[in-house]
Amino acid sequence: MNYNEIKSDYIKNLMYNSSWQDHTRIDDLIKLHKYILVPPRNWSGGMAFTHLKTMYRAEYLDLLSEHSPAALEKVLSEERAIIDKRIKMQSESDAIYEQQKTSWLLAGGKL
């Protein structure tokens, strides 16, 4: 890998403050940055991108912010929608559980 070709200022700053022992992290961030610029086109690339996004969540968000604040906003908005949907589904599940429990007790069942 040619470290002189790093285009991201964020990664450059990390590299300047890192030792050689951390080079695999920098390598991963370079790959992550490339996936941000050119999204993967196949399954294995998608899996690698997902793995890197998960493994380096904070760095991913920082790279997105550097590359495109609009893309960062979109990712955060999608994540918020997923969280809201999970909360809603959990609330609905809890309500169904309570209805079943009440029905059980009214039918003579015990806790």
Side-chain angles (χ1 to χ4, degrees), residues 31 35 38-52:
K31 290 175 198 168
Y35 282 133
V38 180
R41 295 180 181 234
N42 57 39
W43 182 83
S44 61
M47 291 297 292
F49 185 35
T50 299
H51 173 72
L52 291 171

Side-chain angles (χ1 to χ4, degrees), residues 6 11-12 14-15 27 40 46 51-52 55 57 59 63 71 74-75 79 84-85 89-90 94-97:
I6 296 173
I11 295 174
K12 285 178 186 179
L14 287 176
M15 189 180 82
D27 293 349
H51 173 72
L52 291 171
M55 191 168 173
R57 170 130 172 88
E59 292 88 344
L63 285 168
K74 181 182 176 194
V75 165
E79 288 177 356
D84 290 345
K85 185 176 180 178
M89 289 174 65
Q90 185 63 48
D94 292 346
I96 291 170
Y97 175 80

